[in-house]
Amino acid sequence: MGTICVTGSASGIGAATKQRLEAEGHRVIGVDMRNADVIGDLSKADDRRRIVEEVTVACGGVLDGLVPCAGVSTPAPNELVVRVNYFGTLAVVEGLRGCLEKGSNPAVVMISSNSTTMTPGLPVEEAMAYLNGDEESLVARHTAPHTFVAYPAGKLAIAFWVRSQAAAWMASGIRLNAVAPGVIDTGMTRPLLDMPGVKDSLDMIPIPRGRWGKPEEIAGAIHFLLSADASYVVGQVLFVDGGTDALLQPTAHPHPLPGGR
Ligand code: NAD
């Protein structure tokens, strides 16, 4: 049994993850804007620093797992999408790295999204801009209120970050992986059903499983990736989306190294 920090623990996937981990006997330190052990706003630099400090005190400087689940999407402004989903997430992950290094078989499971592979024409350079840019330049890049690129590009950047950092973090003993959920029935998606244009686009998403996912189904995958059963799983982005990604791009992954015949 371990001590695991879950951000966004008050609702949806984070709440289901907290519940599942506690049912398995783990101690969970929840972080959220309300109804959590550590309260704070991950869009704000001062709060991020305080959250890291308070989680560090709460876990006694030793953390076995981290699930940075807090996030926002439409109709939240792009500024919040950029600040919370990417920069707030990385601030917590990097801020708690020292605690994870002291943990037992430590693992981080980040939250990407299948919007990374099913948004038509999503420019890869938008994800690279997140990876290479600073927070204020990314906020400025996504000032237009009605573009939907900030969210999927940020989630693509999270996936790229996990894959590119996994070896270095493994050298410190920490397994880095991500889940990429499809449309999951949570407080994030339910309000979208009342937005005519958005509901129509959601209805057009082909889902072989035939329905939206449940938060518990993502929590199950997160629990697996944190567990000893996943001890050899490193740097992976596990799509948990009812089959949409495989249906839309059946031969895109795995992708052989270029140069072979
Ligand atoms: P949710 O709205 O039910 O829960 C998100 C939680 O994050 C809330 O408790 C909220 O208070 C917290 N949060 C938001 N902004 C915060 C901030 N500034 N500081 C601290 N906490 C903050 O949403 P969810 O669907 O459970 O989403 C969880 C994660 O899963 C997000 O990263 C989201 O992008 C991702 N995701 C969701 C879906 C989906 O269809 N629901 C699909 C793919 C990925």
Side-chain angles (χ1 to χ4, degrees), residues 112-130:
S112 182
S113 160
N114 83 342
S115 64
T116 54
T117 60
M118 63 164 215
T119 304
L122 176 65
V124 172
E125 51 271 25
E126 290 295 341
M128 300 313 292
Y130 270 99

Side-chain angles (χ1 to χ4, degrees), residues 73-74 182-194 202 212:
S73 76
T74 309
V183 187
I184 310 302
D185 183 9
T186 69
M188 179 177 283
T189 46
R190 242 165 276 136
L192 303 179
L193 295 174
D194 297 327
L202 287 172
W212 285 12

Side-chain angles (χ1 to χ4, degrees), residues 11-13 32 41-42 69 111-112 151 155 182 184 186 188-189:
S11 174
I13 295 168
D32 209 304
D41 182 345
L42 285 164
C69 203
I111 314 297
S112 182
Y151 182 89
K155 292 296 187 181
I184 310 302
T186 69
M188 179 177 283
T189 46

